[in-house]
Amino acid sequence: KLSGADIPIHKQLIDAIPQLGRSLVESLHPQGAIDFTFRSEWKELTQPRAEVSLDIGLKDCSIKYDRFPLPLRGINGLLTARDWRWDVKEVVAVGTHDSTIVKCGGSVVPRGTGWHADLDFNAENLPLDETLKSALSPGVKQAWGELGPQGRIDVAVHVAHDTHEPKPAIELVLRPHGRSVSLQLARFPYRLEEVEGEARYRPGRVEFTNVLARHDREVFSVASGTWNATPDGGWVSTHADITERE
């Protein structure tokens, strides 16, 4: 059994991680400190290998993931490994603003010569600002430019990433935080306020339902619609059941 407390995360520590997981850790660019407890046990003489367990407590850490470079800080929580199957437990972080709370859970498991990650993130009160925009893909940035969003949102994200696949599979569900969201449409001379509804994103497609927005005394609603990516990097939108009332 080995243990330690308040160990700074530095290059030498990351270099000591087995190659199977080192690339994932390096892609997060972690900073901060950890506590750890490592055990390697032979409970019976017939065991082909030792049973390995590792508990890592995160203490005021920060990350900036290569594939979605939205900075997170103040990260605290627990990572546990049992025979190198990792579970993420009760990990909580804050965004660039103290009011943004991000929670994470899931698992990372060995798969052949690589690993498979299955993670869920839930962010509350996330500002629609340049920091978030800069972390998005070019196609989503183009849609952002068309919509001109402002305000704050709540987001649920599911990420499935296998090292044998070129890109992770990402699904998002987005909802306005309260009535804070507004849109300044690039091709429509209206500013829409107090936007309500839900949007679901999958690679190349956004589906939105029960959208409600206000402009002065007018209320616009869209029962459903989609945005679909085009081969040239743009987006095509379709809407159904658009209504307007005062």
Side-chain angles (χ1 to χ4, degrees):
K1 174 181 175 180
L2 295 173
S3 62
D6 297 318
I7 309 299
I9 299 173
H10 48 67
K11 186 177 185 302
Q12 291 86 347
L13 181 64
I14 295 173
D15 288 344
I17 297 172
Q19 182 59 43
L20 188 62
R22 190 188 312 156
S23 60
L24 173 61
V25 175
E26 289 175 337
S27 71
L28 296 172
H29 303 285
Q31 297 181 0
I34 62 170
D35 297 340
F36 78 92
T37 301
F38 174 82
R39 293 182 178 87
S40 181
E41 298 179 289
W42 277 269
K43 296 180 179 178
E44 296 184 12
L45 294 176
T46 57
Q47 284 182 216
R49 62 181 63 87
E51 293 182 8
V52 174
S53 67
L54 176 60
D55 295 337
I56 297 178
L58 306 176
K59 305 179 74 173
D60 197 25
C61 297
S62 64
I63 62 170
K64 191 174 183 181
Y65 183 36
D66 280 341
R67 293 181 178 270
F68 189 71
L70 181 69
L72 297 176
R73 58 187 176 83
I75 302 171
N76 295 281
L78 179 64
L79 307 178
T80 65
R82 299 296 180 265
D83 290 327
W84 304 117
R85 172 196 165 93
W86 289 90
D87 288 305
V88 181
K89 299 181 178 180
E90 301 176 359
V91 173
V92 180
V94 297
T96 52
H97 300 266
D98 290 341
S99 58
T100 301
I101 303 299
V102 181
K103 299 179 180 179
C104 176
S107 62
V108 180
V109 299
R111 182 168 291 181
T113 57
W115 47 263
H116 177 83
D118 201 332
L119 301 170
D120 291 296
F121 299 86
N122 289 277
E124 298 178 1
N125 206 13
L126 180 66
L128 293 163
D129 58 12
E130 287 298 318
T131 301
L132 175 59
K133 182 181 178 181
S134 66
L136 302 174
S137 65
V140 179
K141 287 179 182 177
Q142 181 176 350
W144 182 298
E146 293 287 337
L147 294 173
Q150 297 179 346
R152 294 173 175 268
I153 58 174
D154 299 331
V155 185
V157 184
H158 178 75
V159 179
H161 187 194
D162 195 300
T163 51
H164 300 104
E165 299 295 332
K167 294 182 179 180
I170 300 175
E171 297 183 4
L172 299 89
V173 179
L174 304 94
R175 301 181 183 91
H177 184 79
R179 293 188 174 183
S180 66
V181 173
S182 64
L183 303 175
Q184 184 66 59
L185 305 180
R187 302 186 185 186
F188 192 62
Y190 270 25
R191 179 178 175 86
L192 301 177
E193 305 276 0
E194 298 181 10
V195 178
E196 302 175 32
E198 179 180 282
R200 291 179 175 269
Y201 168 83
R202 295 178 179 84
R205 182 178 176 87
V206 179
E207 302 173 355
F208 50 90
T209 55
N210 302 322
V211 176
L212 193 71
R214 293 167 173 82
H215 175 77
D216 293 334
R217 296 182 179 179
E218 297 174 307
V219 178
F220 297 87
S221 64
V222 180
S224 63
T226 61
W227 282 57
N228 292 289
T230 59
D232 62 358
W235 291 80
V236 174
S237 61
T238 59
H239 315 288
D241 302 326
I242 301 177
T243 60
E244 175 186 355
R245 67 179 189 272
E246 293 188 0

